[in-house]
């Protein structure tokens, strides 16, 4: 029995390897898979046949010949199932339905006033339900839900502390799994954003990446040697709560002078109200429009914010020596006014050796980094399930 169990495990592992190569390298032939994996052609052919039967892989016709018979090319079938990715923001919910390749099929955004945990949870469930009910027909249907949240989570998907939401000890994963009967993965929104950038954005070819999520607060997700870094107990990345002013104002986290008090969307709005008066535009889109119209006072607000962003980025550079820093979230729309003072601060204040060769950019994915990363968490859980895709 032990030998049989061992053989089954080896087969599952080999099937996972073959499927991963088809997912990442397709179109690809059986012969090429055998070449790059070291598996025999007979083993690869047998496993591919099982994957074809599972509807996760399809044949798309003959490829170019290298001297013999033209090889039959294989393609991963992304529309065999769909995933939902959600970014739970302080004032809005952004959710997407993607196929198994991460291509967005549908997107929904709703505003909320964070009146209570119960009210926001109800809106969250309504958005997810709309995406689930509207998903195209497929072999596997909706395979799971990924959720990025602005706070600290434990391994059971409980939102332990989200200071900008004012939430503590909310069992989100258990609630959503009970509601939808689907696997749910919950993580910090900046971690999800880092994975989104690594898989779908500018960080595809980078092994050392820091993604900085700038919303009402600031968080960071770190990719080190190609893997998401979570810290000793899973709570890394709360970079918005580094102190850049030791005796500054008190933050919601309880500390003083935190970075996000100076460089977040919330900081921008508070400065706008203080300096432009109570009649000033009370939202980011309004301020962006006024800056685009050339209003000097509003442009100065963005430029000052850019400087403070640069101060925090300097700490990331000096502490972690990444090769790439990507800034994302809604404030990425203000890149035109933020980038110059940010880079000036980096040039003046960071150590020269960690800065050499560093790239600092705003995300090309805009505010979709987190939802794409969250959806990819759901897809990864699906493919890790031995009961769904790997058993014969």
């Amino acid at each position: 029995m032990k030998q049989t169990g061992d053989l089954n495990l080896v087969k599952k592992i080999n099937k996972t390897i073959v499927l991963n190569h088809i997912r990442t390298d397709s179109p690809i032939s059986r012969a090429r898979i055998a070449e790059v994996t070291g598996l025999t052609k007979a083993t690869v052919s047998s496993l591919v046949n099982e994957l074809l039967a599972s509807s996760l892989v399809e044949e798309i016709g003959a490829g170019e010949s290298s001297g013999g018979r033209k090889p039959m090319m294989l393609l991963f079938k992304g529309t065999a199932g769909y995933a939902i990715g959600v970014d739970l923001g302080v004032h809005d919910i952004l959710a997407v339905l993607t196929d198994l390749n991460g291509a967005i099929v549908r997107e929904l955004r709703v505003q909320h006033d964070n009146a209570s945990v119960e009210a926001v949870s109800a809106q969250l469930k309504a958005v997810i339900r709309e995406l689930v009910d509207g998903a195209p027909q497929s072999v596997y249907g909706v395979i799971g839900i990924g959720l990025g949240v602005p706070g600290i989570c434990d391994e059971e998907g409980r939102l332990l502390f989200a200071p900008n939401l004012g939430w503590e000890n909310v069992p989100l994963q258990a609630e959503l799994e009970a509601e939808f009967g689907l696997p749910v993965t919950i993580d910090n929104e900046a971690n999800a954003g880092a994975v989104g950038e690594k898989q779908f954005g500018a960080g595809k070819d980078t092994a050392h990446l820091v993604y900085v999520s700038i919303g009402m607060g600031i968080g960071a997700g770190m990719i080190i040697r190609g893997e998401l870094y979570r810290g000793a107990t899973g709570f890394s990345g709360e970079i918005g709560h580094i102190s850049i002013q030791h005796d500054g104002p008190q933050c919601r986290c309880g500390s003083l002078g935190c970075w996000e008090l100076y460089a977040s969307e919330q900081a921008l709005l508070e400065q706008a109200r203080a300096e432009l008066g109570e009649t000033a535009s009370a939202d980011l889109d309004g301020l962006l429009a006024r800056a685009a119209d050339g209003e000097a006072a509003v442009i100065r607000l963005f430029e000052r914010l850019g400087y403070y962003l640069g101060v925090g980025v300097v700490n990331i550079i000096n502490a972690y020596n990444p090769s790439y820093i990507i800034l994302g979230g809604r404030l990425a729309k203000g890149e035109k006014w933020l980038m110059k003072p940010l880079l000036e601060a980096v040039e003046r204040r960071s150590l020269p050796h960690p800065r050499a060769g560093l790239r600092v950019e705003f995300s090309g994915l805009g505010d979709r980094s987190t939802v794409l990363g969250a959806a990819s968490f759901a897809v990864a859980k699906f493919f890790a399930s031995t009961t769904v895709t790997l058993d014969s």
Side-chain angles (χ1 to χ4, degrees):
M1 291 297 294
K2 185 177 187 300
Q3 182 180 17
T4 301
D6 289 346
L7 289 174
N8 284 336
L9 177 60
V10 169
K11 182 179 179 181
K12 289 176 181 179
I13 292 171
N14 287 340
K15 190 185 288 189
T16 301
I17 291 170
V18 170
L19 178 58
N20 283 341
H21 276 286
I22 297 173
R23 286 180 66 198
T24 58
D25 302 327
S26 63
I28 189 171
S29 67
R30 291 170 174 81
R32 178 58 180 162
I33 294 171
E35 180 182 342
V36 298
T37 62
L39 299 172
T40 67
K41 291 182 179 180
T43 296
V44 170
S45 183
S46 174
L47 295 175
V48 166
N49 287 339
E50 292 181 13
L51 291 170
L52 288 168
S54 75
S55 299
L56 290 170
V57 173
E58 58 185 341
E59 293 179 328
I60 59 170
E64 294 296 322
S65 172
S66 59
R69 189 170 62 181
K70 290 184 177 182
M72 183 62 66
M73 305 304 289
L74 304 165
L75 188 70
F76 175 67
K77 192 173 181 180
T79 54
Y82 295 87
I84 291 172
V86 184
D87 181 359
L88 174 60
V90 175
H91 294 304
D92 67 352
I93 299 167
L94 175 62
V96 296
L97 180 75
T98 76
D99 67 15
L100 299 181
N101 281 318
I104 295 176
V105 176
R106 190 179 178 197
E107 177 177 310
L108 291 175
R109 188 191 298 272
V110 298
Q111 302 296 315
H112 69 79
D113 58 7
N114 196 23
S116 67
V117 173
E118 294 74 20
V120 178
S121 294
Q123 283 184 274
L124 176 64
K125 291 171 185 176
V127 169
I128 294 173
R129 175 61 65 191
E130 185 170 345
L131 291 179
V132 169
D133 292 346
Q137 291 294 314
S138 62
V139 174
Y140 294 101
V142 176
I143 54 85
I145 301 163
L147 179 64
V149 296
I152 298 172
C153 304
D154 63 16
E155 293 181 353
E156 285 73 46
R158 178 181 290 271
L159 180 53
L160 299 176
F161 183 48
N164 289 315
L165 277 172
W167 293 12
E168 289 188 59
N169 297 315
V170 180
L172 272 178
Q173 180 174 317
E175 287 185 15
L176 294 178
E177 288 183 341
E179 177 77 15
F180 296 101
L182 293 169
V184 175
T185 303
I186 295 181
D187 206 334
N188 176 267
E189 51 88 21
N191 283 344
V195 171
E197 289 292 342
K198 177 63 178 169
Q199 292 197 9
F200 307 107
K204 288 181 180 179
D205 301 321
T206 303
H208 298 274
L209 160 71
V210 176
Y211 171 76
V212 182
S213 172
I214 316 164
M216 287 300 183
I218 297 178
M222 291 174 280
I223 303 291
I224 298 176
R225 294 182 180 177
E227 300 292 333
L228 181 65
Y229 177 73
R230 296 184 179 278
T233 56
F235 302 142
S236 68
E238 293 298 325
I239 201 79
H241 298 289
I242 59 171
S243 290
I244 65 169
Q245 180 65 41
H246 73 93
D247 57 352
Q250 186 170 32
C251 180
R252 293 183 185 182
C253 74
S255 187
L256 301 177
C258 291
W259 184 26
E260 67 179 41
L261 295 177
Y262 301 86
S264 64
E265 181 179 339
Q266 183 66 38
L268 177 71
L269 297 180
E270 288 177 358
Q271 285 297 308
R273 286 190 287 268
E275 297 187 20
L276 305 180
E278 290 300 325
T279 59
S281 297
D283 60 67
L284 176 61
D285 289 335
L287 291 172
L288 287 166
R290 292 172 66 177
D293 287 341
E295 189 170 332
V298 176
I299 291 173
R300 283 195 297 272
L301 289 177
F302 279 102
E303 290 175 341
R304 183 189 308 155
L305 193 84
Y307 164 76
Y308 281 120
L309 280 173
V311 171
V313 166
V314 166
N315 288 321
I316 295 172
I317 295 168
N318 292 344
Y320 298 107
N321 185 210
S323 55
Y324 207 164
I325 296 176
I326 300 176
L327 307 166
R330 280 165 39 86
L331 265 176
K333 298 176 183 177
E335 176 182 357
K336 177 179 178 181
W337 306 285
L338 297 172
M339 182 58 96
K340 184 174 183 289
L342 186 159
L343 292 180
E344 287 174 351
V346 167
E347 182 70 24
R348 286 198 311 270
R349 301 169 70 105
S350 63
L351 295 171
H353 295 293
R355 189 175 69 240
L358 170 73
R359 295 168 64 192
V360 180
E361 296 179 6
F362 281 87
S363 173
L365 298 177
D367 60 358
R368 294 180 178 86
S369 305
T370 291
V371 286
L372 288 172
S376 78
F377 288 152
V379 173
K381 180 176 280 191
F382 171 68
F383 285 116
S385 170
T386 56
T387 60
V388 177
T389 61
L390 301 183
D391 284 346
S392 302

